[in-house]
Amino acid sequence: MVAGYIGLKQTEQKTHNKMSDDEISADVKDLMRRLYTECDDTHRTSHINDKENQLYCPHRFDGYVCWPRTIAGTTVYQQCPNFVTGFNDRLLAYKECHQNGTWYTHPKTGAEWSNYTTCVDLGDLEFRQFVNEFYVIGYALSLVTLVVSLIVFLSFRSLKCTRIRIHIQLFTSLALSCIAWLLWYKVVIESPIIVQQNSNWCILLHLVIHYLMLANYFWMFCEGLHLHLVLVVVFVKDSVAMKWFIFIGWFAPIIVVAIYAFAREYYSSLTTHCWMDEGSFMWILKVPVLISLLASIVFLVNVVRVLCNKLHPGTAQLAPMALQKALRATLILVPLFGLHYILLPFRPEAGSSLDKIYQITSAALISLQGVCVSCLFCFVNHDVMYEIRNCCVRLFPRLLKPIHVTKHDAPPGSQTRDIIV
């Protein structure tokens, strides 16, 4: 779920020394023990055929690669390891052997150092940094539009109805999610030291991000459930429904995230790097999201079915106008319910020609969701436009003509089309 990339700076810091035990998963530890044993066995007797009076640097396993005995004054190249995040195993790392038969030492640490900075694909790094910046810009734009929308919703008393209250809760969860993601990208992702330290606060930020992500989906679910109740069930008290919506939207995600945090902390080895590496316990978060999306699909289909009957009753076949309105309602509901996320798991193979297109598309769909929802449910909302125009008429009576309220123009909160928009 995190599109972060630690980058070249962290790669250079890691290669000053061997990887620490708390940075390595159990599988990688087993691999490194095997590589160390193979390295020692292979090169233990490699000096038998060495030339006399020739200096050599001894063989060395540095935690990544086994370096063979190397003639003094030369440089040896090895294929980059494929188990390190961000490394391209098609590139080469190198290690320098001094004239006196000792390996090159890093000037800052004084320890033997192998140069793995060449293992980072700079083109790929630049693209990933571009994607990260795309996320930052998208979340910033979403945050601005969401805040403006919340100000509009809270400024007009006539907009205080259950439908708008649900919008406010959804917009609030989306705005908080944007703030959390901006902190993650600007404070955590861009600071390799913080990622390595794996502080409690960055783990807490990881949990907050996923809590707000669940809250977004659950409030989308509440939007669909409310439409379903209004159009199908009808006889439900708004006060009772709103209490259930509050529980589903804000408290249910706490339960899910608490289970995820407990499971990952005590039963997973992926507890390093601020938990940015997805583990097997991510299904605890993904299953509720999938359930909410499937339920939203059911609500969407049923709402469209009811709308078609209401818009053109008494006819077996849909008239073109009714079909257009049903299609319009569908197109508006899809981004609200977050159904576009269903397409995101179908990711092309990493490194393929379609992967970059997929990543940019994902960044646009995810980070600009707040902009989309704000436009659809605030800036082009019939009730909102009506109230804003009334306000402008009061402030600038000479520039704008007064609104002549008619049955069609007045904000018909109970009409079917305004239940949708």
Side-chain angles (χ1 to χ4, degrees), residues 39 43 56-62 65-78 94-107 110-115:
C39 180
H43 299 286
Y56 289 83
C57 289
H59 76 273
R60 189 78 73 218
F61 179 73
D62 62 2
V65 169
C66 177
W67 299 94
R69 282 169 57 84
T70 303
I71 299 176
T74 61
T75 301
V76 61
Y77 293 86
Q78 292 277 57
Y94 65 89
K95 194 174 182 68
E96 298 179 9
C97 180
H98 290 309
Q99 294 288 351
N100 59 1
T102 60
W103 291 110
Y104 171 82
T105 58
H106 196 277
E112 288 185 6
W113 188 68
S114 309
N115 195 334

Side-chain angles (χ1 to χ4, degrees), residues 124 127-128 347-360:
D124 182 64
F127 172 74
R128 291 177 181 269
R347 179 171 183 169
E349 184 179 355
S352 65
S353 58
L354 295 177
D355 186 47
K356 290 185 177 181
I357 298 176
Y358 172 89
Q359 292 190 49
I360 294 175

Side-chain angles (χ1 to χ4, degrees), residues 157-176:
R157 293 183 179 180
S158 60
L159 296 178
K160 295 186 184 299
C161 61
T162 302
R163 173 171 54 88
I164 300 299
R165 290 192 187 99
I166 297 175
H167 288 349
I168 290 173
Q169 299 298 327
L170 173 62
F171 284 29
T172 301
S173 70
L174 287 168
L176 293 175

Side-chain angles (χ1 to χ4, degrees), residues 49-90:
N49 296 323
D50 290 347
K51 297 180 181 180
E52 295 182 2
N53 301 323
Q54 178 69 61
L55 289 177
Y56 289 83
C57 289
H59 76 273
R60 189 78 73 218
F61 179 73
D62 62 2
Y64 291 91
V65 169
C66 177
W67 299 94
R69 282 169 57 84
T70 303
I71 299 176
T74 61
T75 301
V76 61
Y77 293 86
Q78 292 277 57
Q79 188 176 16
C80 296
N82 59 5
F83 55 85
V84 180
T85 303
F87 281 8
N88 186 341
D89 59 3
R90 291 173 293 183

Side-chain angles (χ1 to χ4, degrees), residues 239-255:
S239 59
V240 175
M242 199 63 201
K243 290 180 180 179
W244 279 105
F245 294 154
I246 293 293
F247 174 80
I248 294 173
W250 292 118
F251 291 98
I254 295 178
I255 300 174

Side-chain angles (χ1 to χ4, degrees), residues 8-60:
L8 183 60
K9 183 177 180 181
Q10 183 175 0
T11 302
E12 183 176 359
Q13 290 175 345
K14 276 188 175 184
T15 53
H16 289 175
N17 299 293
K18 296 180 181 180
M19 290 186 290
S20 58
D21 288 341
D22 59 351
E23 289 183 303
I24 310 170
S25 65
D27 292 339
V28 175
K29 286 180 181 179
D30 293 339
L31 174 62
M32 291 175 62
R33 279 193 288 265
R34 180 173 60 80
L35 291 175
Y36 173 80
T37 302
E38 292 178 355
C39 180
D40 193 52
D41 293 341
T42 301
H43 299 286
R44 183 180 301 165
T45 59
S46 61
H47 63 281
I48 294 177
N49 296 323
D50 290 347
K51 297 180 181 180
E52 295 182 2
N53 301 323
Q54 178 69 61
L55 289 177
Y56 289 83
C57 289
H59 76 273
R60 189 78 73 218

